Amino acid sequence: MSSSVRRLIMTSISNTLSLKHGLSLWCPQSIPLNRIHQGSCAFPSRTFHRCFTVSASSFDNENREFVIVGGGNAAGYAARTFAEHGLANGKLCIVSKEAYAPYERPALTKVYLFPLDKKPARLPGFHTCVGSGGERQTPDWYKEQGIEMLYEDPVVNVDIEKQTLTTNSGKLLKYGSLIIATGCSASRFPDKIGGNLPGVHYIRDVADADSLIPSLEKAKKVVVVGGGYIGMEVAAATSGWKLDTTVILPEDHLMPRLFTPSLGQKYENLYQDYGVKFVKGTSIRNLEAGSDGHVAGVKLENGSTIEADMVVIGIGAKPAVGPFEKIGLNSTVGGIQVDGQFRTSIPGIFAIGDVAAFPLKMYNRISRVEHVDHARRSAQHCVKSLLTAHTEMYDYLPYFYSRVFEYEGSPRKVWWQFFGDNVGESVEIGNFDPKVATFWIDSGKLKGVLLESGTTEEFQLLPKLARSQPAVNKAKLQNASSVEEALEIARASLQVGTAA
């Protein structure tokens, strides 16, 4: 931020009334208020609020200029960005349904579920922002930064005109700028087919993961429903506990939204080496209870039953829009519609992370991305746009990864990364010993690339390839004798494109 802009912002803030005597909403003086475009995403490059003063005793939050609803990854990285700009202390309030300060959620289906003798992760070890190499923001960090934290009290109502929030406990909160960072909630089986039987688990937060641990200690036969991220990572964890594990999925191969059938088969073979069984291309009729009411099996559509004393359901997630549905949802991808600076259609209200439906600039489409990398980057971009003259539109490169079988004593660790878009024809190179790479080529251009067990240098090449989308010789790539050779061919295409 330039010194002139910083002086403008600080002067504007210092000219407001003290929060001790009432609420004053920040109104930068650099652009006339009559330039605000109400009711659309076509806002000016700065965010404005109506200016008025109310009694401080009328509301239950001390910090009111900025309020974040949600306590996940995005909230933690947003808090850090506020603090870096010197605008957290006495100004920022975070309202969360969870009992803990924001943490790196991916740990819950990875190291958190390691067997107890294999050094599983526990809080405070994975509070944000350690996942990106930043400072560990424990509850004490928020206190030191002057950030007000309201735990275990989700927001149940929003009054857009009055700029107030009501929580589950009845607290009335005031906001100047509001950032919605509520993330997603796990998709669940209905009660009528046994979705809430004892022994049936979903995993989205620490409380969910904590409930899994005693079940893992007692279980003998585990059924994992779903062959996506959650299913693959939980199945890898249960194999570490030496449990009889079966994965049930309706599709014909693992990770169908990303993996090709050939790639999915390679991972399936690896999981089978760990003792994991697969039942593919089928659906579930219901979960069955034993005489004690505890889950005892999974009944399939063909009438057969798979015994289970523990079931983990990982069938996706839904954007947790809750009381913010009135703000305007995207009917195509779900989530709350925002522009390239994460502004909703209502001035002063933003949405970030999993819940936001945003313009994916490089592919010219609206998307909603459920991934920690997007949660981090969207939070930082949004807060910078809110606090400074930053007007650049968010330009995200889709990125996904997974790391499993990383517990002590595991004979084979799995770590893959994907960048870009999995469209067009695919070219697969390598025998999964341990490397394999898949390239997606559309209209002669490299659109996406996935690499398993790459070196640091090789992984660093992937985003460069996916963002540049160089023209690549498909036949030459297909004839590569190794993953290393294929990556060198792709690298050379990148260099040719740069020279041109």
Side-chain angles (χ1 to χ4, degrees):
M1 186 183 349
S2 69
S3 58
S4 60
V5 171
R6 184 180 295 275
R7 284 195 300 272
L8 170 63
I9 293 173
M10 299 313 295
T11 301
S12 299
I13 294 173
S14 65
N15 286 340
T16 60
L17 293 175
S18 169
L19 288 176
K20 293 181 181 179
H21 299 94
L23 172 69
S24 55
L25 299 179
W26 174 33
C27 292
Q29 300 165 356
S30 58
I31 304 176
L33 290 179
N34 60 14
R35 286 184 56 189
I36 299 176
H37 298 268
Q38 297 285 346
S40 74
C41 283
F43 304 143
S45 62
R46 300 285 292 277
T47 300
F48 302 88
H49 317 286
R50 296 183 294 274
C51 292
F52 57 88
T53 302
V54 296
S55 169
S57 61
S58 302
F59 304 105
D60 294 303
N61 56 322
E62 294 291 331
N63 299 0
R64 300 168 190 164
E65 290 197 37
F66 310 107
V67 173
I68 299 173
V69 177
N73 273 92
Y77 281 82
R80 181 176 76 171
T81 311
F82 274 108
E84 289 171 346
H85 285 80
L87 288 169
N89 194 342
K91 304 179 189 306
L92 176 62
C93 174
I94 298 177
V95 191
S96 175
K97 69 176 183 179
E98 295 206 44
Y100 306 93
Y103 53 86
E104 303 284 0
R105 201 173 298 277
L108 297 180
T109 52
K110 298 179 178 70
V111 290
Y112 204 92
L113 298 184
F114 281 6
L116 300 181
D117 62 345
K118 304 295 185 184
K119 300 180 180 178
R122 294 292 182 268
L123 289 173
F126 57 98
H127 280 297
T128 55
C129 298
V130 295
S132 62
E135 182 180 0
R136 182 180 290 108
Q137 297 170 191
T138 64
D140 286 341
W141 180 88
Y142 291 88
K143 292 178 183 177
E144 292 165 2
Q145 297 295 327
I147 298 171
E148 184 176 5
M149 299 292 296
L150 302 179
Y151 296 107
E152 298 183 275
D153 202 5
V155 169
V156 296
N157 189 56
V158 55
D159 189 320
I160 294 168
E161 291 304 314
K162 294 181 180 179
Q163 294 181 261
T164 60
L165 306 167
T166 305
T167 69
N168 189 60
S169 70
K171 288 186 174 68
L172 184 64
L173 312 178
K174 189 71 180 178
Y175 67 85
S177 288
L178 174 66
I179 299 177
I180 303 166
T182 46
C184 286
S185 58
S187 297
R188 305 176 70 91
F189 273 12
D191 287 351
K192 65 181 180 180
I193 66 168
N196 284 316
L197 287 173
V200 176
H201 296 269
Y202 305 83
I203 184 163
R204 192 69 195 179
D205 56 32
V206 168
D208 293 336
D210 282 344
S211 73
L212 270 172
I213 303 304
S215 291
L216 287 168
E217 291 180 288
K218 298 174 185 177
K220 292 188 171 89
K221 294 186 176 182
V222 179
V223 167
V224 178
V225 180
Y229 263 109
I230 300 298
M232 288 186 69
E233 294 183 350
V234 170
T238 58
S239 73
W241 288 76
K242 308 298 183 185
L243 301 178
D244 183 335
T245 302
T246 301
V247 178
I248 302 174
L249 60 155
E251 301 88 2
D252 294 327
H253 65 276
L254 292 172
M255 292 285 288
R257 290 167 59 184
L258 178 58
F259 289 178
T260 64
S262 173
L263 187 61
Q265 186 62 53
K266 286 180 169 60
Y267 282 96
E268 183 180 326
N269 293 342
L270 175 64
Y271 274 68
Q272 288 173 333
D273 290 342
Y274 278 85
V276 177
K277 299 182 287 291
F278 292 90
V279 178
K280 301 181 292 183
T282 188
S283 55
I284 293 170
R285 184 178 297 176
N286 63 275
L287 308 182
E288 297 183 332
S291 57
D292 59 355
H294 193 276
V295 69
V298 179
K299 191 167 187 177
L300 306 180
E301 279 297 335
N302 63 11
S304 63
T305 299
I306 299 175
E307 293 183 8
D309 48 20
M310 176 180 175
V311 175
V312 183
I313 298 176
I315 55 173
K318 300 177 292 186
V321 293
F324 303 104
E325 190 166 354
K326 67 183 71 175
I327 290 175
L329 301 183
N330 181 284
S331 60
T332 303
V333 298
I336 298 171
Q337 181 93 41
V338 296
D339 68 3
Q341 291 182 297
F342 297 96
R343 299 173 294 195
T344 71
S345 59
I346 300 174
I349 300 182
F350 302 76
I352 58 176
D354 293 3
V355 78
F358 66 96
L360 194 55
K361 183 178 177 181
M362 66 181 299
Y363 300 128
N364 192 32
R365 64 175 185 253
I366 299 296
S367 293
R368 196 175 58 78
V369 175
E370 297 173 15
H371 195 266
V372 62
D373 181 62
H374 165 64
R376 295 167 180 164
R377 294 176 184 272
S378 63
Q380 294 163 339
H381 192 99
C382 172
V383 176
K384 287 178 182 177
S385 298
L386 170 61
L387 299 181
T388 73
H390 176 85
T391 60
E392 184 179 346
M393 295 294 107
Y394 189 57
D395 189 11
Y396 184 67
L397 174 66
Y399 162 55
F400 300 98
Y401 79 94
S402 186
R403 301 179 67 155
V404 293
F405 299 118
E406 292 194 306
Y407 48 82
E408 289 183 359
S410 172
R412 164 80 186 266
K413 295 174 172 57
V414 169
W415 181 15
W416 58 262
Q417 293 186 26
F418 167 84
F419 287 87
D421 204 9
N422 58 333
V423 295
E425 300 177 89
S426 61
V427 175
E428 184 180 294
I429 304 295
N431 297 317
F432 208 59
D433 57 353
K435 291 183 181 180
V436 66
T438 302
F439 302 85
W440 281 266
I441 302 169
D442 191 31
S443 300
K445 292 189 174 182
L446 183 61
K447 293 291 187 177
V449 57
L450 181 146
L451 176 63
E452 165 65 46
S453 298
T455 64
T456 299
E457 182 182 1
E458 288 169 342
F459 279 142
Q460 289 173 346
L461 174 63
L462 306 189
K464 298 175 184 177
L465 292 171
R467 188 170 287 282
S468 297
Q469 301 180 32
V472 64
N473 187 319
K474 178 184 172 184
K476 192 174 181 180
L477 201 60
Q478 287 174 319
N479 291 327
S481 60
S482 66
V483 170
E484 290 82 359
E485 183 182 348
L487 289 172
E488 280 305 313
I489 292 170
R491 189 196 304 272
S493 299
L494 180 66
Q495 294 168 348
V496 169
T498 302

